[in-house]
Amino acid sequence: MERITLAHGDGGQLAHQLIADIFVSMFHNDRHAKFDAATFTLDLHELAMTTDSFVVKPLFFPGGNIGKLAVAGTINDLAVVGAIPKVMTCSFIIEEGFPIGDLKTIVQSMAEEAKKANVAIVAGDTKVVERGSADGLYINTTGIGVISHPLEPKMCEGDSVIVSGSVGDHGVAILVARGELGLVSTVESDCATLYPLIAKALQASQRIRLMRDPTRGGLATALVEICEDFGVTIELEEERIPVKQEVEGACELLGFDPLYLANEGKVVMIVPKEDEQAVLDALRSQPEGKDAAVIGTVRATNKGQLLLRTPLGTTRRLYRLTGLMLPRIC
Amino acid sequence: MERITLAHGDGGQLAHQLIADIFVSMFHNDRHAKFDAATFTLDLHELAMTTDSFVVKPLFFPGGNIGKLAVAGTINDLAVVGAIPKVMTCSFIIEEGFPIGDLKTIVQSMAEEAKKANVAIVAGDTKVVERGSADGLYINTTGIGVISHPLEPKMCEGDSVIVSGSVGDHGVAILVARGELGLVSTVESDCATLYPLIAKALQASQRIRLMRDPTRGGLATALVEICEDFGVTIELEEERIPVKQEVEGACELLGFDPLYLANEGKVVMIVPKEDEQAVLDALRSQPEGKDAAVIGTVRATNKGQLLLRTPLGTTRRLYRLTGLMLPRIC
């Protein structure tokens, strides 16, 4: 009998297949997997909607907690499809015995994070399961936004790929916080609400082609998906990709690749070359975007490949995350 | 240290307090708890939005499964606030090792159920947790509808209370399906999408004051909440409340009260006396509403009490469900 494995949940190849084989095919909705939020028209209104369940372990980590992560994650998914996040629901599955004080701390972070993007939390739900039936707390957040900047994902030769800051911070922060590796590190999760940052970028350029927040599967998987979905090739310059020294160090020790580690406060954008500087300036004007960098270029070939040029001048192809990297990262 | 108990999740008194103390107060949203779905205006559009996580045990039961329950539950929450359900998201938390065949069966039921109300499932999410960290499968569904019949919950002396059919079926079906009680029964869950039924009722009367789907906490808790929230007294006639014989029998054996057992395919409505017959006729014209009955009357006193007149002519006050009745019912 076929069974679910942890790798079905890591945002990589198996997860991709599960979504295509079951959800997209049975729900007859092929827009399901392509964007971070669905967009649809409701009585002449163009809206965006996204849902995420959060099962991060541990619930509290340097730089945030499951509640902050849930609210920021949902706001970011709306922001990257060009929507102004408006309202959100949140639903809790709580294990019997969970400390109410911890719940309050988490809910307080959610309220604070929602406020940063002026998002109203309009409905909720609480379920409690017996001791041992869940792992402390799971949170679902689902959000709606109004499309303000309909993106036209039509990429051209020479378009620039910009990332808003260093990659892999969230992945390493979670790994270290689990304490299983005996590792000590000062890396904090980058967990942050990106709506105000993205709004600045959209003001600076009316021609941003596409945005993604590279969460599970990391920067590489997010870009592989763009290459495949839109039939373009992207060439990344390895040495231009910002990676913090502590993240680099932890990855070397543990054998991880920062390009595949989750981020929870970064956005990657494809912009026309002419607008590159304006977008960079807009991103760098905000604290969340101060390390923004151009990391690659769109090539005209329609091979749908993600290529990485190393400092040695060699080029290798990057694939979607395969197999299990890190469960319970968000 | 204060800790979460199973009773915090049963829809009764403790759940009510948890929601008021933590979620409503921290999210600064006092509409949170009063209706089955939140309503809000998005650029001049009146929308409804609702979220629910489903943790029902077992996942398959006579009359349905967790997927059918999740989709129907969300559609019903939208329908009872006078909305036409439009789009929905669904998010899965799956335990490692879960049979993929079972997942397909469940997703198929979700697609079928959504189709009954013409609801599009527009976005989804899948998380996988390690073996032992969840109980097979949890599903969150979040839906949006467009308000077609804004309800004016202004109740008057003499208004009729109508229920669309027998109460307690879902609760008993789940209890029996768990097999822990050594009970055998033919009762099936009433799990059903109520949107088409409710649309008929709304066509029959423009003056329906209020609707609820009496899920967790049962008919009694749903009506106690109405009495408290709107400061009216409702007098129920015990012998008019439809209860199936098998449900009655199981309740007597087990010491449960059918008025507090969950329903997943029933709606309770408050309507002006003059519209009573038209609404009854509309409900009874559909299979899901064939046993619809008038079960009580709104009284003018503003004491906010739910009263039950027994066949012996005595009257007793009913309260919100307190303490633990049945965990994992939805």
Side-chain angles (χ1 to χ4, degrees), chain B residues 301-323:
Chain B
T301 89
N302 62 357
K303 283 189 178 162
Q305 295 182 349
L306 178 65
L307 303 174
L308 183 75
R309 281 171 54 94
T310 69
L312 300 173
T314 60
T315 297
R316 66 187 170 95
R317 182 169 175 197
L318 298 180
Y319 295 87
R320 201 183 290 271
L321 175 63
T322 49

Side-chain angles (χ1 to χ4, degrees), chain B residues 19-36:
Chain B
I19 291 167
D21 292 353
I22 300 192
F23 303 118
V24 175
S25 79
M26 290 188 179
F27 292 149
H28 306 293
N29 188 336
D30 61 4
R31 307 196 61 184
H32 220 82
K34 272 200 183 172
F35 296 94
D36 289 296

Side-chain angles (χ1 to χ4, degrees), chain B residues 32-322:
Chain B
H32 220 82
K34 272 200 183 172
F35 296 94
D36 289 296
T39 57
F40 55 91
T41 304
L42 213 55
D43 286 354
L44 302 178
H45 256 71
E46 190 67 7
L47 300 181
M49 186 173 193
T50 186
T51 188
D52 268 295
S53 287
F54 292 83
V55 298
V56 65
K57 196 160 93 177
L59 298 176
F60 294 88
F61 48 82
N65 63 46
I66 186 172
K68 179 182 180 187
L69 189 66
V71 171
T74 290
I75 289 173
N76 295 349
D77 278 347
L78 293 172
V80 296
V81 300
I84 306 173
K86 292 287 188 181
V87 299
M88 186 184 286
T89 59
C90 57
S91 174
F92 298 81
I93 298 174
I94 315 175
E95 185 180 4
E96 181 187 7
F98 192 75
I100 290 184
D102 285 357
L103 182 62
K104 284 184 180 165
T105 306
I106 288 165
V107 172
Q108 190 57 48
S109 313
M110 297 178 79
E112 283 164 19
E113 210 57 27
K115 209 173 163 192
K116 288 182 192 164
N118 250 321
V119 166
I121 297 179
V122 294
D125 180 48
T126 314
K127 294 283 157 50
V128 180
V129 294
E130 306 89 332
R131 220 174 274 265
S133 288
D135 214 358
L137 177 66
Y138 301 143
I139 299 179
N140 175 280
T141 40
T142 302
I144 310 183
V146 174
I147 299 288
S148 60
H149 286 76
L151 301 179
E152 287 250 3
K154 226 181 54 191
M155 277 157 272
C156 303
E157 165 78 22
D159 281 353
S160 300
V161 182
I162 295 177
V163 71
S164 63
S166 62
V167 300
D169 300 11
H170 180 72
V172 168
I174 293 293
L175 262 177
V176 171
R178 283 191 196 150
E180 294 159 8
L181 302 165
L183 211 67
V184 179
S185 157
T186 56
V187 178
E188 292 206 343
S189 166
D190 56 346
C191 177
T193 292
L194 294 175
Y195 176 66
L197 181 74
I198 288 173
K200 288 269 176 209
L202 288 169
Q203 274 165 24
S205 165
Q206 305 299 309
R207 296 183 297 171
I208 292 176
R209 318 278 197 202
L210 192 70
M211 297 183 275
R212 279 283 161 87
D213 64 328
T215 56
R216 277 186 292 181
L219 180 69
T221 305
L223 290 174
V224 167
E225 282 174 1
I226 292 176
C227 292
E228 286 182 4
D229 290 348
F230 301 100
V232 296
T233 286
I234 289 176
E235 217 172 79
L236 295 178
E237 301 285 342
E238 189 171 18
E239 58 191 346
R240 293 177 141 212
I241 301 170
V243 183
K244 286 193 177 129
Q245 224 179 336
E246 307 95 292
V247 171
E248 193 90 57
C251 282
E252 272 170 22
L253 257 173
L254 300 168
F256 286 121
D257 183 339
L259 298 187
Y260 287 93
L261 284 180
N263 310 282
E264 292 292 345
K266 296 292 153 28
V267 54
V268 57
M269 300 177 167
I270 316 274
V271 306
K273 178 77 183 162
E274 313 90 77
D275 291 4
E276 178 189 293
Q277 198 55 48
V279 172
L280 267 185
D281 291 345
L283 292 173
R284 288 177 180 160
S285 74
Q286 305 295 306
E288 297 84 8
K290 67 179 168 43
D291 299 322
V294 177
I295 58 170
T297 308
V298 172
R299 294 298 170 207
T301 89
N302 62 357
K303 283 189 178 162
Q305 295 182 349
L306 178 65
L307 303 174
L308 183 75
R309 281 171 54 94
T310 69
L312 300 173
T314 60
T315 297
R316 66 187 170 95
R317 182 169 175 197
L318 298 180
Y319 295 87
R320 201 183 290 271
L321 175 63
T322 49

Side-chain angles (χ1 to χ4, degrees), chain A residues 1-6 8-9 18-19 22-23 26-27 29 32 38 40 42-43 45 47 49-53 55 57 86-87 89-100 103-104 107-108 110-111 121-130 132-135 138 140 142 144 146 216 328 330, chain B residues 1-6 8-9 18-19 22-23 26-27 29 32 38 40 42-43 45 47 49-53 55 57 86-87 89-100 103-104 107-108 110-111 121-130 132-135 138 140 142 144 146 216 328 330:
Chain A
M1 182 176 16
E2 270 191 301
R3 291 185 177 276
I4 293 288
T5 65
L6 285 171
H8 279 111
L18 184 77
I19 291 167
I22 301 192
F23 302 117
M26 292 189 178
F27 292 149
N29 189 336
H32 219 82
F40 54 92
L42 213 55
D43 286 354
H45 255 72
L47 300 180
M49 185 173 194
T50 186
T51 188
D52 269 294
S53 286
V55 298
K57 195 159 91 175
K86 291 287 188 182
V87 300
T89 60
C90 56
S91 173
F92 298 81
I93 298 175
I94 314 176
E95 185 180 4
E96 182 187 9
F98 191 76
I100 291 184
L103 183 62
K104 284 186 181 163
V107 172
Q108 189 59 49
M110 296 178 79
I121 296 178
V122 295
D125 180 49
T126 314
K127 294 284 156 48
V128 181
V129 295
E130 306 90 333
S133 289
D135 213 359
Y138 300 143
N140 176 280
T142 302
I144 311 182
V146 175
R216 278 188 292 182
R328 314 288 295 274
C330 60
Chain B
M1 182 177 14
E2 267 191 303
R3 289 185 178 275
I4 293 289
T5 65
L6 285 171
H8 279 110
L18 183 77
I19 291 167
I22 300 192
F23 303 118
M26 290 188 179
F27 292 149
N29 188 336
H32 220 82
F40 55 91
L42 213 55
D43 286 354
H45 256 71
L47 300 181
M49 186 173 193
T50 186
T51 188
D52 268 295
S53 287
V55 298
K57 196 160 93 177
K86 292 287 188 181
V87 299
T89 59
C90 57
S91 174
F92 298 81
I93 298 174
I94 315 175
E95 185 180 4
E96 181 187 7
F98 192 75
I100 290 184
L103 182 62
K104 284 184 180 165
V107 172
Q108 190 57 48
M110 297 178 79
I121 297 179
V122 294
D125 180 48
T126 314
K127 294 283 157 50
V128 180
V129 294
E130 306 89 332
S133 288
D135 214 358
Y138 301 143
N140 175 280
T142 302
I144 310 183
V146 174
R216 277 186 292 181
R328 312 288 295 273
C330 60

Side-chain angles (χ1 to χ4, degrees), chain A:
Chain A
M1 182 176 16
E2 270 191 301
R3 291 185 177 276
I4 293 288
T5 65
L6 285 171
H8 279 111
D10 69 0
Q13 185 59 34
L14 273 175
H16 178 75
Q17 255 164 36
L18 184 77
I19 291 167
D21 292 353
I22 301 192
F23 302 117
V24 175
S25 78
M26 292 189 178
F27 292 149
H28 306 293
N29 189 336
D30 62 3
R31 306 196 60 183
H32 219 82
K34 274 201 184 170
F35 297 95
D36 290 297
T39 57
F40 54 92
T41 305
L42 213 55
D43 286 354
L44 301 179
H45 255 72
E46 189 67 8
L47 300 180
M49 185 173 194
T50 186
T51 188
D52 269 294
S53 286
F54 291 83
V55 298
V56 65
K57 195 159 91 175
L59 298 175
F60 294 88
F61 48 82
N65 63 48
I66 187 173
K68 179 182 180 188
L69 188 66
V71 171
T74 289
I75 289 172
N76 296 350
D77 279 347
L78 294 172
V80 294
V81 299
I84 305 172
K86 291 287 188 182
V87 300
M88 185 185 287
T89 60
C90 56
S91 173
F92 298 81
I93 298 175
I94 314 176
E95 185 180 4
E96 182 187 9
F98 191 76
I100 291 184
D102 285 355
L103 183 62
K104 284 186 181 163
T105 306
I106 288 165
V107 172
Q108 189 59 49
S109 312
M110 296 178 79
E112 283 164 16
E113 210 58 27
K115 209 172 162 194
K116 289 182 191 164
N118 252 320
V119 166
I121 296 178
V122 295
D125 180 49
T126 314
K127 294 284 156 48
V128 181
V129 295
E130 306 90 333
R131 219 174 276 265
S133 289
D135 213 359
L137 176 66
Y138 300 143
I139 299 178
N140 176 280
T141 42
T142 302
I144 311 182
V146 175
I147 299 287
S148 61
H149 287 75
L151 301 180
E152 287 251 3
K154 227 181 52 188
M155 278 158 272
C156 303
E157 164 78 22
D159 280 354
S160 300
V161 181
I162 296 177
V163 70
S164 64
S166 61
V167 300
D169 301 11
H170 180 71
V172 168
I174 293 294
L175 262 178
V176 172
R178 282 193 195 149
E180 293 158 8
L181 302 164
L183 211 68
V184 179
S185 157
T186 55
V187 178
E188 292 206 342
S189 166
D190 56 346
C191 175
T193 291
L194 294 176
Y195 176 66
L197 181 73
I198 287 173
K200 287 271 177 206
L202 288 169
Q203 273 165 25
S205 164
Q206 304 299 309
R207 298 183 294 172
I208 291 177
R209 319 279 197 201
L210 191 71
M211 297 183 276
R212 278 284 161 85
D213 64 329
T215 56
R216 278 188 292 182
L219 180 69
T221 304
L223 289 175
V224 166
E225 282 173 0
I226 291 176
C227 290
E228 286 181 6
D229 291 348
F230 301 100
V232 295
T233 285
I234 288 175
E235 217 172 79
L236 295 179
E237 302 283 341
E238 189 171 18
E239 58 191 347
R240 289 176 144 213
I241 302 170
V243 182
K244 285 191 177 134
Q245 223 180 337
E246 307 95 291
V247 171
E248 192 90 58
C251 282
E252 272 171 24
L253 257 173
L254 301 167
F256 285 121
D257 182 341
L259 299 187
Y260 287 93
L261 285 180
N263 310 282
E264 292 291 347
K266 295 292 153 29
V267 55
V268 56
M269 300 177 167
I270 317 273
V271 306
K273 179 76 183 164
E274 314 87 78
D275 290 6
E276 178 189 294
Q277 197 56 49
V279 172
L280 268 185
D281 290 347
L283 292 173
R284 288 178 180 159
S285 74
Q286 304 294 306
E288 296 86 8
K290 68 178 168 42
D291 299 321
V294 177
I295 58 169
T297 309
V298 172
R299 293 299 169 207
T301 93
N302 61 356
K303 285 189 175 161
Q305 296 183 348
L306 178 64
L307 303 174
L308 183 73
R309 282 171 53 94
T310 68
L312 300 173
T314 61
T315 297
R316 66 187 170 94
R317 184 169 171 195
L318 298 180
Y319 295 88
R320 203 182 286 274
L321 175 63
T322 48
L324 181 66
M325 186 111 172
L326 280 178
R328 314 288 295 274
I329 203 77
C330 60

